Amino acid sequence: MAELLAGKVLVAQGGGPTAVINQSLVGVVLEARKFPHIHRVYGAVHGVRGIVDEDFLDLTRETTHNLEQVATTPSSALLSTRDKPDREYCQRMFGVLKRHGIHYFFYVGGNDSSDTLRIVNAEAEAVGYPLRCVHIPKTIDNDLVENDHTPGFGSAARFVVQSFRGINLDNSALRGVYVAVVMGRHAGFLTASSCLARKYPDDGPHLIYVPERAFDVERFLGDVDRTMKAYGRCIVAVSEGISDRDGRPIMTTLKQMGQDAHGNVQLSGTGALGDLLMDTIKEKLGIKRVRADTFGYLQRSFLGCVSDRDASEAREVGEKAVQYAMWDDVDGSVVIRRPVVDYSVDYELVPLAAVAGKTKHMADEYLNADGNGVTQAFHAYVRPLVGSGLPETHRLRAPRVPKG
Amino acid sequence: MAELLAGKVLVAQGGGPTAVINQSLVGVVLEARKFPHIHRVYGAVHGVRGIVDEDFLDLTRETTHNLEQVATTPSSALLSTRDKPDREYCQRMFGVLKRHGIHYFFYVGGNDSSDTLRIVNAEAEAVGYPLRCVHIPKTIDNDLVENDHTPGFGSAARFVVQSFRGINLDNSALRGVYVAVVMGRHAGFLTASSCLARKYPDDGPHLIYVPERAFDVERFLGDVDRTMKAYGRCIVAVSEGISDRDGRPIMTTLKQMGQDAHGNVQLSGTGALGDLLMDTIKEKLGIKRVRADTFGYLQRSFLGCVSDRDASEAREVGEKAVQYAMWDDVDGSVVIRRPVVDYSVDYELVPLAAVAGKTKHMADEYLNADGNGVTQAFHAYVRPLVGSGLPETHRLRAPRVPKG
């Protein structure tokens, strides 16, 4: 094999950035350098677009110190792309790979990136060009099948938890309804992780809505009303992708309810959904103090909020990808398993087709019957992922003074 | 004095919470306990409303350990209020204070709270009731006169800096225009602090707009266009309170430009302004990828993002307030001075009337001529306030590979 596949390694990053995606990149680079028959490690700039543009960095000329510093920096250091290559685009990529004698391609990405890799891999096999293709998982949405969880999710979830822990205190100091819109078009894992913000029984978020359950506006208003009566305040976590039972985004349906809305259905990078829910609550329930925040891009790129567990796993999937390609001479997608109850992980390589383009959703056992919260099972699932040393909140416990 | 004013201390927190406001609370409680003639330290629940409601906690029955834990917890542990007491409301407060034999009142708050305290103090003097009233500064807006800066600002600024450092990387990985709306109705200090996010010359934010300068939509569009041509991307920081030359909020003027807007002019807890700027850029400049985030309440209550310098100063202003009242037997407002260039602070007590209800704005020397950025003078002013150990970002420095 060392003969046949001697040569160059290419690594690239695709799709949305995460806080730990560079750990995987650095894992690939440092592990690949351990193999004597690998004389170059290239990085494609802006993902697959860097391949068709033949825009490569020679990472064998990068210092270990700087690589380690980049590893702890959020967002894709090789920059990214949203390009969704068709067969023709993939053939152009393959042509460039061939011209540079690249025999190993490692792509860090989510559903789309794994599918791209699957096609490139097929093209290479079709013409008998030896090209090892290994997909390295990442996504804050945690929606890759076969994986217990995905690198990037734990750190994003940690940000969501720290946000809601602070918001919970702010909302008790100045009471009212608070709605936070969290990323997640099809999977509610990130929104659901807000459950970890609760410490005391009356802590928020009091209501959690995810795309896996049809969102009914009337039932939602009833939930908010009950919560206000119970606690005098109400904190709501909703996924940007919540839809009605016909699968229509709530932003559209609320708009039809006569709400004042923005014309587009862009979900991220807009406060429209939160504002629509806020306006609906004000109008229908007559509550005065209602606030809405959309966490937006902070949740995937905020500097200084990383799950240590997430970071080390992101590093390991990069290293494992190289080891599978070099020692076993196979293609595939690295997946994370959680074999035991007391947290630990194993890595496996599964066929690209097993992961490519598929979307994982939250299991039923993770969502409560009312469709407005999560179960203890989900709490147990997500708790280890946000890592150690999660900052805590504390309350005064001094007794009331008798009235004079 | 120990005879005359023997008795009880009352402490309360007003207005918007900050990440370090409980440091001031705990500073008051622990310092007051050092004085033998003080046999009770009460805390009013929900600020001045807790006084008219006679809702007090006996903080002399709180453990030091728990007080220290509460000190490191963001948001007002005694809860807060937006009540703006009139003279009659203040008289009722004064009645309760008198009934409980409270001779010291420490109020942690901003402009409004200091004005409330001024009135209560006047009422007490009018009837010859000995009541020491000391205002303890706090506000993330940093807009209290007499103060070089205010407790709470440094930590909020740190959050803004860490946010923009991450956003800058995210926006380079997936390019386009990104607009972030930062808190600040009348003062732009918090928005301007985003300048500290820049490390490399092409880093964002590339454009910064604050309420101290009239916002011209056409000039803004020109600025964005130029930045896109220069860097292929553009990150904008705007204060929620930006207004046109006639002082009308931009949200209203954009609406008149035919933009699709929300009916209210609520600035915080809504994504409306960001979305309106986004829509304007898309429409007028024809740029496709435009995103807008409104940092919202995260910037004042996020758990786990505190400036160590801000925290220790917040503790000290609480301690100093007690010392002024006990040793000097005077009323007033504690202010923070910065005497020398190499950072250090002194504390002083000024008359309540010198601070009460007044608003500080950014000095001209802090804003550039074009009104779309800040100066080195502001950079030097704000850098020490965000504290030590600010997380850094790092880039790959590997050379490009020659095209094959």
Side-chain angles (χ1 to χ4, degrees):
Chain A
M1 141 198 148
E3 284 323 308
L4 175 61
L5 290 187
K8 298 171 184 153
V9 159
L10 179 69
V11 58
Q13 300 168 307
T18 80
V20 297
I21 191 170
N22 294 328
Q23 291 284 359
S24 301
L25 165 67
V26 171
V28 168
V29 175
L30 295 181
E31 187 68 14
R33 292 307 306 281
K34 297 177 183 170
F35 293 84
H37 66 293
I38 299 302
H39 44 81
R40 284 282 188 288
V41 179
Y42 288 174
V45 181
H46 281 297
V48 289
R49 203 188 331 146
I51 302 180
V52 293
D53 296 348
E54 204 178 347
D55 187 2
F56 300 140
L57 297 184
D58 185 353
L59 298 175
T60 35
R61 290 170 177 258
E62 183 56 87
T63 65
T64 306
H65 170 73
N66 197 51
L67 283 172
E68 288 297 352
Q69 286 193 300
V70 168
T72 63
T73 301
S75 190
S76 318
L78 281 172
L79 309 185
S80 193
T81 181
R82 287 277 183 207
D83 284 5
K84 289 182 183 163
D86 53 15
R87 172 156 262 96
E88 187 273 337
Y89 188 110
C90 286
Q91 275 161 347
R92 282 165 57 208
M93 284 167 52
F94 171 61
V96 175
L97 294 173
K98 200 169 179 177
R99 188 150 77 252
H100 280 269
I102 290 165
H103 289 294
Y104 300 90
F105 179 28
F106 300 95
Y107 202 20
V108 190
N111 322 54
D112 298 332
S113 309
S114 57
D115 204 41
T116 301
L117 197 58
R118 184 184 57 75
I119 303 176
V120 174
N121 187 227
E123 294 298 328
E125 276 173 5
V127 299
Y129 178 74
L131 180 69
R132 288 285 144 261
C133 295
V134 181
H135 167 242
I136 298 164
K138 80 79 215 173
T139 167
I140 67 168
D141 294 334
N142 197 37
D143 62 353
L144 289 184
V145 298
E146 293 283 339
N147 291 270
D148 175 77
H149 59 278
T150 54
F153 169 67
S155 297
R158 188 183 180 98
F159 178 88
V160 167
V161 173
Q162 290 183 212
S163 298
F164 274 96
R165 283 193 175 181
I167 287 300
N168 176 65
L169 298 168
D170 197 300
N171 176 263
S172 15
L174 295 167
R175 319 189 117 206
V177 178
Y178 178 88
V179 178
V181 178
V182 180
M183 277 187 174
R185 276 167 182 263
H186 309 296
F189 292 100
L190 194 55
T191 307
S193 62
S194 62
C195 70
L196 293 179
R198 298 196 193 108
K199 178 179 178 179
Y200 301 97
D202 61 328
D203 281 343
H206 307 98
L207 302 167
I208 299 174
Y209 303 94
V210 296
E212 283 82 352
R213 291 279 183 273
F215 186 85
D216 180 291
V217 176
E218 292 311 320
R219 226 173 49 233
F220 164 70
L221 291 169
D223 291 344
V224 172
D225 189 46
R226 264 190 309 282
T227 309
M228 282 299 285
K229 289 189 168 81
Y231 302 115
R233 64 194 191 96
C234 178
I235 297 175
V236 183
V238 299
S239 298
E240 60 187 2
I242 51 168
S243 308
D244 65 15
R245 60 174 49 72
D246 307 321
R248 293 174 309 170
I250 292 306
M251 213 181 315
T252 338
T253 60
L254 281 178
K255 202 171 147 196
Q256 284 155 3
M257 283 173 61
Q259 292 294 337
D260 179 21
H262 291 258
N264 58 55
V265 285
Q266 168 192 328
L267 296 182
S268 295
T270 165
L273 175 59
D275 287 357
L276 285 166
L277 291 170
M278 173 175 70
D279 295 344
T280 308
I281 293 166
K282 283 180 175 173
E283 184 189 305
K284 309 282 180 179
L285 298 181
I287 298 169
K288 278 179 73 175
R289 189 168 193 272
V290 185
R291 300 288 184 263
D293 279 337
T294 302
F295 289 177
Y297 291 92
L298 299 188
Q299 60 206 309
R300 78 180 187 193
S301 64
F302 185 77
L303 182 67
C305 185
V306 168
S307 159
D308 49 2
R309 192 162 258 150
D310 189 29
S312 54
E313 290 175 359
R315 173 67 71 105
E316 284 188 295
V317 290
E319 294 176 354
K320 292 301 293 183
V322 171
Q323 291 172 9
Y324 285 121
M326 301 296 168
W327 294 127
D328 305 338
D329 193 24
V330 290
D331 311 304
S333 179
V334 179
V335 299
I336 300 180
R337 312 283 193 198
R338 190 194 308 197
V340 293
V341 176
D342 185 13
Y343 191 83
S344 78
V345 292
D346 282 348
Y347 302 103
E348 269 179 53
L349 193 74
V350 302
L352 285 165
V355 172
K358 298 187 169 67
T359 300
K360 184 177 78 174
H361 297 283
M362 289 183 75
D364 278 346
E365 58 161 342
Y366 288 162
L367 299 169
N368 71 1
D370 297 341
N372 60 10
V374 301
T375 61
Q376 273 305 314
F378 179 75
H379 198 285
Y381 163 81
V382 74
R383 183 62 190 86
L385 306 182
V386 298
S388 62
L390 199 62
E392 269 208 70
T393 63
H394 303 276
R395 291 180 177 186
L396 291 170
R397 296 170 308 194
R400 281 280 193 297
V401 174
K403 303 210 173 200
Chain B
M1 143 198 143
E3 283 324 306
L4 176 61
L5 289 186
K8 298 170 184 153
V9 159
L10 180 68
V11 58
Q13 299 168 307
T18 79
V20 297
I21 192 170
N22 294 329
Q23 291 283 0
S24 301
L25 165 67
V26 171
V28 168
V29 175
L30 295 181
E31 187 67 15
R33 293 305 307 282
K34 297 177 182 170
F35 293 83
H37 68 291
I38 299 303
H39 44 80
R40 284 281 188 289
V41 180
Y42 288 173
V45 180
H46 281 299
V48 288
R49 203 185 336 144
I51 302 179
V52 291
D53 296 347
E54 204 178 348
D55 188 2
F56 300 142
L57 298 184
D58 185 352
L59 298 173
T60 34
R61 290 170 177 259
E62 183 55 86
T63 65
T64 306
H65 170 73
N66 198 51
L67 283 171
E68 289 297 352
Q69 286 192 298
V70 167
T72 63
T73 301
S75 189
S76 318
L78 281 173
L79 310 185
S80 193
T81 180
R82 288 276 183 209
D83 284 5
K84 289 181 181 164
D86 53 14
R87 171 156 263 97
E88 186 275 335
Y89 188 109
C90 287
Q91 275 161 344
R92 283 166 56 208
M93 282 167 53
F94 171 62
V96 175
L97 294 172
K98 199 168 180 178
R99 191 149 75 250
H100 280 270
I102 291 166
H103 289 295
Y104 300 90
F105 179 28
F106 300 96
Y107 203 21
V108 189
N111 322 54
D112 297 332
S113 309
S114 57
D115 203 41
T116 300
L117 198 58
R118 184 185 56 75
I119 302 175
V120 175
N121 187 228
E123 294 298 327
E125 276 173 7
V127 299
Y129 178 74
L131 180 69
R132 287 287 145 261
C133 296
V134 181
H135 167 241
I136 298 164
K138 79 80 212 168
T139 167
I140 67 167
D141 294 334
N142 196 37
D143 62 352
L144 289 184
V145 299
E146 293 283 339
N147 291 270
D148 174 78
H149 59 279
T150 54
F153 169 67
S155 297
R158 188 183 179 98
F159 178 87
V160 168
V161 174
Q162 291 183 214
S163 297
F164 274 96
R165 283 193 175 180
I167 287 300
N168 175 65
L169 297 167
D170 197 301
N171 177 263
S172 12
L174 294 168
R175 318 187 120 208
V177 178
Y178 178 88
V179 178
V181 178
V182 180
M183 277 186 174
R185 276 165 182 264
H186 309 295
F189 292 100
L190 194 55
T191 307
S193 62
S194 62
C195 70
L196 293 179
R198 296 197 194 106
K199 178 179 178 179
Y200 300 98
D202 60 330
D203 280 344
H206 308 97
L207 301 167
I208 299 174
Y209 303 95
V210 297
E212 283 82 354
R213 291 279 183 273
F215 185 85
D216 180 293
V217 176
E218 292 312 320
R219 227 175 46 235
F220 164 70
L221 290 169
D223 291 344
V224 172
D225 189 46
R226 264 190 309 282
T227 309
M228 283 299 285
K229 290 191 168 82
Y231 301 115
R233 63 194 192 96
C234 178
I235 297 175
V236 183
V238 299
S239 298
E240 58 187 3
I242 51 168
S243 308
D244 64 15
R245 61 172 49 72
D246 306 322
R248 293 174 307 170
I250 292 306
M251 214 179 317
T252 338
T253 60
L254 282 178
K255 204 172 143 196
Q256 284 157 5
M257 285 174 57
Q259 291 295 337
D260 178 20
H262 290 257
N264 60 55
V265 284
Q266 169 191 327
L267 295 182
S268 295
T270 164
L273 175 59
D275 287 356
L276 284 166
L277 291 170
M278 173 174 70
D279 296 343
T280 308
I281 293 166
K282 282 180 175 174
E283 183 189 303
K284 308 285 180 179
L285 297 181
I287 298 169
K288 276 178 76 176
R289 188 168 192 274
V290 185
R291 300 289 183 263
D293 279 337
T294 302
F295 288 177
Y297 291 92
L298 300 188
Q299 60 205 310
R300 78 180 186 193
S301 64
F302 186 77
L303 182 67
C305 183
V306 168
S307 157
D308 49 1
R309 191 162 258 151
D310 189 28
S312 53
E313 290 175 358
R315 172 68 70 105
E316 284 187 295
V317 289
E319 294 176 353
K320 292 299 294 181
V322 171
Q323 291 172 8
Y324 285 122
M326 303 294 168
W327 295 126
D328 305 339
D329 192 25
V330 290
D331 310 303
S333 181
V334 178
V335 299
I336 301 181
R337 311 283 195 200
R338 190 195 306 197
V340 292
V341 175
D342 184 14
Y343 192 83
S344 77
V345 293
D346 281 349
Y347 302 102
E348 267 180 53
L349 193 75
V350 302
L352 285 164
V355 173
K358 298 187 170 68
T359 301
K360 185 176 78 174
H361 296 282
M362 289 182 75
D364 278 347
E365 57 160 344
Y366 288 162
L367 300 169
N368 71 3
D370 297 341
N372 60 10
V374 301
T375 60
Q376 273 304 315
F378 180 74
H379 198 286
Y381 163 81
V382 75
R383 183 60 190 87
L385 305 183
V386 298
S388 62
L390 199 61
E392 269 208 69
T393 63
H394 303 276
R395 290 179 177 187
L396 290 170
R397 295 171 308 194
R400 280 282 194 294
V401 174
K403 304 211 173 198

